[in-house]
Amino acid sequence: MTTTRTKPEPPPAAVAADAHWAAKMDRLRARTLAETTFVICDDTEVRTRFQRAQRNLEVTQAFAKDHPGDSEAATDAATAQTAYDEAKTAYDQVAIPLRFRALPRTALEALYKQHQPSESESDEGKQWADSFPAALIAAASVDGMSEDEARELLSSWSLVEADAMFNAAYSVQNTTRADLGKG
């Protein structure tokens, strides 16, 4: 007996309610998983300059938008844009971005299962084994960070920075891009 995989037909009721159901399912199947970027910038002067330029740009653009006839506001916004562009270029040259992507549900569940807390860890209130953070970071890394590399960084960085990297990899697993509308 041979079997062939065919695309299942949409339910007749769904087609009746939405004639474009097949196209909608194609779009749902083509969705990519959520991603986030965790950026490290050790140069505080460059980071501060970039953050200030970003805030100044937002303020001057908002003011210019609220005062369309004010040529000075438009000039200030243009000047702020130039300062922002320069600060962003300097920031991008020294910053280190790490990208993380949400895992498919089954992969994340398997990772949880693989890194369940021991009985003593569970008694301490831990949700997962100590090996989980490095495993999750490696699995979610878009850049190809290995589990050994993640473990190295987690153990050599300060607690706050190590937690921030883990939180970036973990939080993208809980990112939703769906809205529950009222119909």
Side-chain angles (χ1 to χ4, degrees), residues 72-168:
E72 189 175 334
T75 301
D76 289 347
T79 301
Q81 181 68 57
T82 300
Y84 170 81
D85 292 344
E86 290 170 0
K88 175 81 167 109
T89 298
Y91 180 80
D92 288 344
Q93 288 174 350
V94 297
I96 305 166
L98 297 174
R99 295 173 302 147
F100 297 105
R101 180 179 299 134
L103 302 173
R105 182 183 61 89
T106 54
L108 184 59
E109 288 174 350
L111 200 60
Y112 281 135
K113 190 174 183 177
Q114 184 181 358
H115 298 276
Q116 289 181 357
S118 67
E119 197 171 307
S120 64
E121 289 170 328
S122 185
D123 289 344
E124 294 173 14
K126 293 185 177 180
Q127 295 177 298
W128 45 69
D130 289 341
S131 58
F132 178 73
L136 176 65
I137 288 168
S141 174
V142 175
D143 303 308
M145 185 184 301
S146 72
E147 195 168 331
D148 286 339
E149 292 167 329
R151 195 172 6 268
E152 174 190 342
L153 297 177
L154 288 170
S155 65
S156 64
W157 285 3
S158 71
L159 180 61
V160 171
E161 290 178 336
D163 283 350
M165 180 173 60
F166 169 72
N167 287 335

Side-chain angles (χ1 to χ4, degrees), residues 36-77:
T36 192
T37 303
F38 173 66
V39 181
I40 301 146
C41 181
D42 291 328
D43 189 325
T44 55
E45 186 177 311
V46 169
R47 184 176 63 242
T48 300
R49 179 177 161 222
F50 169 65
Q51 290 169 338
R52 286 181 180 161
Q54 191 172 31
R55 282 192 301 271
N56 188 45
L57 177 62
E58 290 167 1
V59 169
T60 57
Q61 284 181 336
F63 187 83
K65 182 180 176 186
D66 291 343
H67 301 86
D70 187 338
S71 62
E72 189 175 334
T75 301
D76 289 347

Side-chain angles (χ1 to χ4, degrees), residues 14-43:
V15 173
D18 185 349
H20 304 288
W21 178 252
K24 189 179 287 188
M25 272 308 294
D26 287 342
R27 287 182 60 205
L28 289 169
R29 287 183 180 111
R31 290 181 70 230
T32 59
L33 295 165
E35 284 191 16
T36 192
T37 303
F38 173 66
V39 181
I40 301 146
C41 181
D42 291 328
D43 189 325

